Amino acid sequence: MSNLYYSYSDYLKKKYNEKVYKLPISLPVTCPNRKKGKRGCVFCAGAGAGFEAGNAGNSVAEQLIKTRNIIESKYHAHKFIGYFQNYTNTYLPLADFMSYITEAASMKDIVEIAVSTRPDCIRDDYLEVLCDAAKNYSVEITVELGLQTANYHTLARMERGHGLAEFIDAAMRIQRFGFDICAHVILNLPGDTLADSIETAKILSALKIPVVKIHSLYIAKNSLLCDWYKDGKIAVCSKEEYLERLIHFLEYLSPEIAVERLFSRIPEEESIFSNWGVSWWKLKDEFEDRMTDRESFQGKKFYYLNGSALEGL
């Protein structure tokens, strides 16, 4: 385990005793936030967020077999996560959702099903489908939820279509079924501040979310945010400001929460702004060097729960 933060790769090794790889799956789905003539969240392009995903025109089995063969050959992997990645994967008729989940869970060497969705698309009957898959095929379940920020004012400006309460409700429902949760956050949305990054870390820690995937804001082509950026209506914070927010976020984050990602990744041709023109791995090296120089580490300031004001009485 890194002495700076609890990495997702260490989390998976602890969980499965070996290296595990995600195999992305695309379904012919959309998002409730793109219905009724809406373009979706302002940062979302027509392709959604699944730039690494497969062809939704192929069956779940075909997508998994194709990607698994590549990963097996390259990394000699033996265990895989079937990752329903793009758009809102519970925004389906229940019978269709059940069919897709069953197809993935029954595949060879799939040890976990991960379902990416929205907080306002979590309901008990869909969670029961996942529960049945876990029991029938001996797979673990993770639900990936896009929170983005704890600032519900920013969520409204970004036209997310949900607030903080929906995320809390979804998280508590999922936890009652015993599933893991991976929360997605963006630490530099327009209008957010360092204080919002800290509060987001606190909310995730208080809810005991097991995994967080951290994104730096990119501006995808063909998104409303792209229009705003071109028109000068919004600005992206500096690289230094983002690194500062990221350090504080991790310092306030529970050390038991695994960190899957620190920076966004998007094909260059799909965006007009991403990571200040610096590769994500160089940003990662710079960030870790900065943490080391400051003697910073995940959980350094995780002392605000459990009646902290009573300390010293």
Side-chain angles (χ1 to χ4, degrees):
M1 183 184 297
S2 167
N3 60 346
L4 299 177
Y5 54 88
Y6 183 17
S7 73
Y8 181 62
S9 59
D10 285 337
Y11 166 84
L12 288 179
K13 286 178 184 176
K14 181 179 178 181
K15 190 173 182 179
Y16 294 110
N17 298 314
E18 64 180 274
K19 189 79 170 178
V20 179
Y21 292 84
K22 276 186 168 180
L23 304 180
I25 303 165
S26 282
L27 297 181
V29 295
T30 183
C31 168
N33 210 22
R34 300 185 71 86
K35 304 292 281 187
K36 300 178 182 177
K38 294 182 65 178
R39 294 173 64 175
C41 308
V42 301
F43 50 76
C44 184
F51 296 101
E52 302 165 342
N55 185 349
N58 295 332
S59 71
V60 168
E62 288 171 330
Q63 293 180 59
L64 287 174
I65 291 170
K66 179 180 178 180
T67 313
R68 185 184 69 198
N69 288 343
I70 295 171
I71 298 297
E72 273 184 331
S73 174
K74 188 173 182 179
Y75 299 109
H76 306 289
H78 305 290
K79 294 180 180 179
F80 303 95
I81 297 170
Y83 178 27
F84 291 89
Q85 180 182 14
N86 206 16
Y87 291 119
T88 304
N89 290 277
T90 57
Y91 192 57
L92 285 163
L94 188 61
D96 293 345
F97 179 68
M98 181 185 302
S99 176
Y100 289 128
I101 294 297
T102 300
E103 186 177 0
S106 63
M107 294 291 292
K108 176 186 175 185
D109 299 329
I110 295 295
V111 297
E112 181 173 320
I113 297 296
V115 178
S116 181
T117 188
R118 290 168 52 88
D120 55 358
C121 287
I122 292 294
R123 205 169 63 193
D124 285 356
D125 49 352
Y126 286 77
L127 296 174
E128 286 165 1
V129 167
L130 294 173
C131 189
D132 289 341
K135 292 176 181 177
N136 295 335
Y137 299 99
S138 299
V139 293
E140 297 291 320
I141 301 293
T142 294
V143 180
E144 302 216 2
L145 283 178
L147 169 60
Q148 314 313 346
T149 176
N151 186 331
Y152 51 87
H153 300 292
T154 299
L155 292 176
R157 284 194 296 270
M158 295 297 104
E159 299 182 15
R160 278 290 293 170
H162 70 79
L164 179 59
E166 289 89 336
F167 177 83
I168 294 172
D169 172 66
M172 292 190 300
R173 288 181 185 279
I174 293 164
Q175 287 170 332
R176 284 198 290 269
F177 282 80
F179 303 148
D180 279 350
I181 299 168
C182 174
H184 292 223
V185 299
I186 302 173
L187 296 186
N188 59 329
L189 286 169
D192 265 11
T193 65
L194 174 62
D196 295 307
S197 297
I198 293 171
E199 189 64 19
T200 301
K202 287 182 172 184
I203 291 289
L204 299 181
S205 299
L207 289 171
K208 294 182 170 56
I209 302 297
V211 183
V212 61
K213 185 183 287 186
I214 308 168
H215 300 268
S216 47
L217 180 68
Y218 61 76
I219 300 178
K221 294 179 180 178
N222 302 315
S223 66
L224 186 56
L225 194 68
C226 179
D227 296 342
W228 291 357
Y229 185 71
K230 288 178 177 178
D231 293 341
K233 294 179 179 178
I234 59 103
V236 182
C237 76
S238 67
K239 179 185 72 173
E240 288 70 25
E241 170 66 17
Y242 179 80
L243 295 179
E244 192 70 15
R245 294 186 191 188
L246 185 53
I247 286 175
H248 279 78
F249 179 89
L250 289 180
E251 287 187 340
Y252 280 90
L253 191 70
S254 165
E256 295 183 359
I257 298 178
V259 178
E260 183 170 353
R261 183 174 289 183
L262 300 169
F263 304 93
S264 292
R265 304 176 196 176
I266 181 175
E268 185 175 343
E269 64 273 13
E270 300 287 349
S271 69
I272 64 168
F273 175 88
S274 176
N275 290 337
W276 303 273
V278 182
S279 62
W280 68 266
W281 62 88
K282 288 183 179 179
L283 282 173
K284 181 173 178 287
D285 289 343
E286 181 179 349
F287 170 69
E288 291 181 351
D289 288 344
R290 187 172 298 200
M291 285 192 78
T292 300
D293 291 343
R294 288 170 55 162
E295 298 183 349
S296 177
F297 55 88
Q298 181 179 343
K300 184 176 183 178
K301 297 177 181 177
F302 180 60
Y303 44 70
Y304 46 84
L305 300 179
N306 193 31
S308 60
L310 296 172
E311 186 70 28
L313 284 182

